[in-house]
Amino acid sequence: MTTTDRASGALLLRQLREGRGWSWADLARALRDIARQLTVASLMNRQVASIQRTVARWESVTDRTSPGDRYQFLLAQLYARTPAGDLAIGPGSDFATLLDALRHLGTPPERVRQLVELVGRSGRGDNGDLLMPLSPGTQSTIAAIQRNPSELDHEVVRQLHESVTAINGLVGTTPFVRLQLQLAPIVDSCRRLVKLHQADSQQELLLLATVAYSLAGRLAFETRDDEAAMALYADATRTAGHLADRSHRAAVQTSHTMVTLHATDDLEAARTIARAATVDAHRGPSYAIRARAHAVHAEICARAGQANEAAAALGRAWKTVEQLTVDDPHGGFNADRLNGFDGLCALHAGDAGHAHDNLDRSLSALRLSRDAVQRGIVSTDLALARLRLGGPAACVDLLHEAVDITASTGGRVAAQRIRLTRRNLRPWRTEDFFAELDDHIHDTLIGR
């Protein structure tokens, strides 16, 4: 992003605000009102002064802060309608000007297209399409819960749980901010229900809340709202602590470990959560969760340079994988996934050959649409292994694939690793393949 791009984008954002006759505080209140309408939990209760400071940074030429995914969507919803409330998204509209501003600020074309799609859907369906895949029955259930949380039975919980599962199944194929909006009313319903029925300690409800909070934490991380992510994982961990099956809390903690690592780079904090996950995993019946917990712990140790500890944790993970059963209710983690962890640990240990073989096996198995985010991550790790083996051109070939996957999924971890691998390619910066990779990254990922 150039200074001229930054200046142009900031100026357009200021002109949009002033064109509506708004101060920074006015725009902050408008954004919070829309967040409340759409149940964007991380913003709906935020102080106006806090949002106002964020708005001011967007309009600063010297501050490099730009609207993130959630704010981009809220701004799009705001400027897609005239002050009279009419939808206006064509040439010359405030919405079109907003898209120009975001382009100047580095938002990639794919993201701009997603905003147009999201606004078009909400405009046609009065936000109803944004709540898909929630069935009409589930939407009615949520509305009923919001009116009277005392209405709780098995069918209510079942419908909400099915909706959470459906939303989770769309990860990798649907923009994270849209999934966040779909999940938000369910999270809000869970909070209402758990608060009211806390004395009942209903395991089914607690499990629903645990899964919903954990997924919401993952989505908040992907949309770069790390503060909300940490709070949601804390809620998920606390709620899971009331479940009889400790595998559920271990599952939350393994995800929390990786989010903590990639959001903060705090290895010690991540290690603390990873250790707790292994303890809980061995108190529960799921071998899949035990294997994942050991694999996550191994990665943290490898990143910390503790090769022996990482090898021991991997050994426990492989031994546990051998005990997996087809009826494991927490299934999903298997040898194919473990190969990815094993390969990454080998990369950190300096064994590029072993890393390449394991990562290649893992990548070959990640073929389903729901594997797209993970495929982007493993692709970048495998690319780095190829570079370590002396194949910079082969590394770049695979990175091009990883860039396309990451542009499609919006995966934050894969984007981080692409940047890392690109830095390792700097000795070849005079080569044509390096320039082509840079162009590809700039065209599809810059601004994410």
Side-chain angles (χ1 to χ4, degrees), residues 33-350:
D33 287 346
I34 290 181
R36 287 174 173 173
Q37 292 171 21
L38 297 174
T39 327
V40 181
S42 59
L43 292 176
M44 58 191 292
N45 296 317
R46 185 162 294 181
Q47 295 295 316
V48 169
S50 174
I51 302 176
Q52 179 179 329
R53 288 191 292 271
T54 300
V55 169
R57 287 195 291 270
W58 298 339
E59 297 182 13
S60 169
V61 175
T62 57
D63 194 313
R64 297 182 65 83
T65 302
S66 300
D69 286 353
R70 291 166 301 113
Y71 276 119
Q72 285 179 7
F73 177 74
L74 294 177
L75 286 167
Q77 289 290 311
L78 183 62
Y79 287 123
R81 294 190 178 274
T82 67
D86 298 322
L87 186 68
I89 59 176
S93 65
D94 283 353
F95 178 72
T97 301
L98 172 66
L99 297 185
D100 285 340
L102 295 177
R103 290 187 188 98
H104 282 303
L105 293 172
T107 303
E110 176 65 21
R111 176 60 183 157
V112 172
R113 286 193 293 272
Q114 290 171 357
L115 287 172
V116 173
E117 176 192 355
L118 288 171
V119 169
R121 285 176 180 272
S122 62
R124 292 191 300 273
D126 195 25
N127 294 332
D129 283 350
L130 291 174
L131 296 180
M132 293 300 290
L134 305 189
S135 67
T138 303
Q139 293 182 47
S140 298
T141 296
I142 291 173
I145 291 169
Q146 291 173 340
R147 290 192 302 269
N148 183 10
S150 64
E151 297 183 9
L152 177 67
D153 56 28
H154 170 77
E155 183 61 20
V156 167
V157 176
R158 185 193 65 78
Q159 284 186 352
L160 295 180
H161 211 137
E162 286 183 353
S163 294
V164 173
T165 300
I167 293 169
N168 187 45
L170 293 174
V171 169
T173 63
T174 304
F176 288 116
V177 68
R178 184 177 178 191
L179 299 182
Q180 217 176 7
L181 291 166
Q182 293 167 359
L183 185 62
I186 299 178
V187 170
D188 182 63
S189 297
C190 287
R191 293 194 190 284
R192 293 169 186 260
L193 292 171
V194 170
K195 183 178 181 180
L196 186 66
H197 298 274
Q198 194 170 24
D200 301 342
S201 299
Q202 297 188 34
Q203 293 287 291
E204 190 178 28
L205 171 59
L206 293 173
L207 176 57
L208 165 65
T210 295
V211 174
Y213 297 160
S214 182
L215 177 57
R218 163 47 184 315
L219 296 176
F221 163 75
E222 294 288 5
T223 57
R224 294 163 177 76
D225 190 351
D226 296 335
E227 181 180 351
M230 297 308 172
L232 285 160
Y233 275 112
D235 288 342
T237 303
R238 184 167 50 252
T239 305
H242 297 289
L243 292 169
D245 182 354
R246 279 291 184 262
S247 296
H248 294 295
R249 189 164 72 174
V252 172
Q253 290 166 328
T254 56
S255 183
H256 190 190
T257 298
M258 302 311 291
V259 164
T260 298
L261 172 67
H262 294 293
T264 68
D265 286 327
D266 189 337
L267 276 172
E268 192 53 42
R271 186 186 356 254
T272 298
I273 303 170
R275 286 172 175 165
T278 60
V279 172
D280 271 336
H282 278 273
R283 290 175 177 169
S286 173
Y287 286 101
I289 295 298
R290 290 185 197 179
R292 175 170 168 78
H294 287 306
V296 167
H297 187 217
E299 177 175 342
I300 300 301
C301 292
R303 288 179 178 275
Q306 300 170 330
N308 292 336
E309 291 87 343
L314 277 175
R316 288 190 287 271
W318 279 113
K319 183 177 179 180
T320 307
V321 159
E322 294 173 358
Q323 303 175 71
L324 291 180
T325 58
V326 295
D327 59 346
D328 190 324
H330 300 272
F333 190 85
N334 53 30
D336 295 329
R337 297 279 178 156
L338 183 52
N339 271 318
F341 282 94
D342 197 326
L344 181 59
C345 289
L347 266 183
H348 284 286

